[in-house]
Amino acid sequence: MLSNIEKLYLCAQSGTSSDKTPVELDMSVIVRDLTKLYGTQKAVDGISFEARKGEALGFLGPNGAGKSTTMKILTCFIPQSSGYAEVCGIDVEKDPIAVRRTIGYLPEHNPLHKEMYVKEYLQFVASVYQVSQAQKRIAELIEMTGLGPEQNKLIGQLSKGYRQRVGLAQAMMHDPKVLILDEPTSGLDPNQLVEIRRLIKDLAREKTVIFSTHIMQEVQALCERVVIINKGRIVADDSIDHLKSSVNSSSALVVAFTKKAEKKSLAAISGVGEVEEIGNCRYRLSFHQESDIRAAVFSHAVSSGLILLEMYVESSSVEDVFQKLTKEVQR
C-alpha cells in the first residue's frame, strides 16, 4: 500500500490545504527566463515560452535537453534556480499546492502501484482529490481511456500500454485545467495510439496540453505548434508548417516515369538543381522554393516521349526540422 510520504504528496497535489482559486487566463502557462542548475551544469538555461488554453503544445528535444526538468519545475516537483513560471496565473514557487490543483501530470516513468487493482487505484486517487460523485467520474475516465476490460485486474498484470492509460486516467481525475504529459503514448500499439491521440485532441479543445515525445508522427497528429529545446535552450518556438518551410530554401519534386530518363536532360530543365535517382525510373529533382518547376518537367516529359506516372513536391518533415535545429546547436 501507499507510504505516508506518498499519501502526503497526493494530498498536497489535491490542494486540500489551500483555498486559493486559480485565475482564469488565456495564457495558461507562462515561463520567463527559467534556469535550473545542478552544480555548475545548466539543465535549463534561461528559457521562455507560453502555452494557451485550448492548445496542444509539443515540447521536443533530444535526451538530456531539459524537457523533463522543465516539466518537473512546472509541476512543482523541483524548484527553479532562477526565473519565473506560472500556471493559470499562479506562481509555481510561491504557491505550489494551488498549482498542483490546476495540473494533471503523467511523468515519463509512470509511478503506479502494481499491487492495486485498476478500479481500486482510481477510487483511491478520487478520494485523495476529494472528487464529488467519484464513482461517476471513475466510470467516465474508464470509458474515456478504454480501461473497461482491464478495470478489475491488478495494475502489475497490465501491459505497458494499459498502464499508460491508467496514468492518463489518474492525471485527469480532478478535471485539471492543464495537462502535462511526458511521453504519453510510450508503449502503445497502433490501435491504442489512434484512441489516445483522439482523446488528447478532444481534451486540448478545452484544456491546455503540453506533451513531450520522441515520436515525430505524434507531433504532426496532435499539435500545430512546437517548442524545441536543446542543451537547455529553446531553439525553436513556432507552428509546424512555418518551421518546415524555414528549414531551408529548397524543396524537391519527386517524379516517376514508365522508363528511365536521362539525368543530364532532367538537370537541364529550367529551375532544376540536383537530380537524384531514388528508385526504378523515379527521380528527386531539387529546386528553389520560390520556383514552380512542375509545368517545365511535364513539358520535358511530353517532348522526350516519357509517360509521367507520378509527380509531387516533397516537403521537409518534422524529423528534418528537429535534426537540423538540434544539430546546428551541437556544432
Side-chain angles (χ1 to χ4, degrees):
M1 296 301 290
L2 299 176
S3 69
N4 289 332
I5 292 176
E6 289 168 327
K7 290 177 181 178
L8 284 170
Y9 172 73
L10 276 173
C11 284
Q13 216 180 8
S14 70
T16 54
S17 63
S18 176
D19 295 324
K20 184 174 180 180
T21 302
V23 179
E24 292 286 345
L25 293 175
D26 182 48
M27 295 296 181
S28 297
V29 176
I30 299 175
V31 174
R32 292 284 181 267
D33 299 319
L34 197 68
T35 297
K36 178 63 180 178
L37 294 170
Y38 292 104
T40 58
Q41 181 182 356
K42 285 186 177 180
V44 176
D45 188 3
I47 66 170
S48 299
F49 67 92
E50 299 166 348
R52 303 170 183 84
K53 182 179 179 181
E55 177 179 45
L57 174 67
F59 196 52
L60 312 180
N63 290 331
K67 302 189 303 296
S68 293
T69 299
T70 303
M71 290 184 164
K72 287 177 181 177
I73 292 172
L74 289 175
T75 52
C76 308
F77 272 82
I78 59 174
Q80 67 265 39
S81 300
S82 63
Y84 175 79
E86 70 174 46
V87 178
C88 296
I90 309 166
D91 188 321
V92 301
E93 192 172 28
K94 291 182 179 178
D95 200 346
I97 292 177
V99 169
R100 286 171 178 159
R101 296 175 70 182
T102 69
I103 285 180
Y105 179 43
L106 176 64
E108 181 179 3
H109 303 291
N110 193 357
L112 300 173
H113 296 279
K114 298 179 182 179
E115 75 280 3
M116 297 183 75
Y117 292 93
V118 172
K119 197 168 184 179
E120 175 192 16
Y121 174 71
L122 294 179
Q123 287 169 340
F124 166 75
V125 174
S127 68
V128 169
Y129 281 115
Q130 299 181 353
V131 175
S132 61
Q133 298 183 315
Q135 295 308 313
K136 179 182 178 182
R137 180 60 176 164
I138 291 167
E140 289 173 350
L141 289 170
I142 287 174
E143 183 178 356
M144 285 170 63
T145 56
L147 280 168
E150 313 296 320
Q151 62 182 302
N152 296 315
K153 287 186 179 180
L154 286 170
I155 292 174
Q157 295 175 341
L158 300 180
S159 67
K160 186 176 181 182
Y162 274 108
R163 290 182 192 179
Q164 285 296 94
R165 293 175 183 232
V166 176
L168 279 169
Q170 71 83 22
M172 295 186 293
M173 179 62 71
H174 55 305
D175 195 22
K177 294 179 174 65
V178 177
L179 277 171
I180 297 182
L181 312 175
D182 202 349
E183 303 285 348
T185 57
S186 175
L188 301 180
D189 64 37
N191 291 330
Q192 292 172 333
L193 277 174
V194 173
E195 295 170 6
I196 297 302
R197 281 178 188 169
R198 186 184 302 117
L199 173 59
I200 293 174
K201 289 188 79 170
D202 288 345
L203 290 168
R205 292 192 181 102
E206 298 180 353
K207 304 180 184 298
T208 302
V209 179
I210 301 176
F211 70 94
S212 72
T213 180
H214 288 94
I215 305 171
M216 294 299 134
Q217 294 91 332
E218 294 301 286
V219 179
Q220 291 180 300
L222 289 172
C223 63
E224 295 181 355
R225 177 171 155 248
V226 295
V227 171
I228 301 178
I229 184 172
N230 191 40
K231 293 191 173 181
R233 296 183 177 181
I234 301 290
V235 295
D237 181 354
D238 212 334
S239 68
I240 291 178
D241 289 341
H242 190 267
L243 284 174
K244 285 163 66 175
S245 66
S246 65
V247 165
N248 51 54
S249 59
S250 63
S251 295
L253 185 73
V254 175
V255 294
F257 306 107
T258 55
K259 63 180 181 180
K260 279 187 172 290
E262 291 185 7
K263 290 177 65 176
K264 287 184 179 180
S265 65
L266 292 174
I269 299 172
S270 177
V272 173
E274 295 182 1
V275 177
E276 178 187 3
E277 189 170 356
I278 57 175
N280 188 28
C281 307
R282 297 182 79 242
Y283 304 86
R284 181 183 288 113
L285 316 179
S286 67
F287 67 96
H288 198 276
Q289 279 188 350
E290 294 178 356
S291 307
D292 188 346
I293 62 171
R294 290 174 296 177
V297 171
F298 182 79
S299 297
H300 173 79
V302 172
S303 63
S304 302
L306 296 169
I307 298 176
L308 190 63
L309 295 177
E310 184 180 24
M311 179 166 64
Y312 65 89
V313 175
E314 185 180 67
S315 59
S316 298
S317 66
V318 177
E319 288 91 340
D320 296 330
V321 174
F322 182 83
Q323 289 176 2
K324 180 175 176 63
L325 290 172
T326 55
K327 283 181 180 178
E328 282 182 347
V329 174
Q330 289 171 356
R331 290 194 185 110

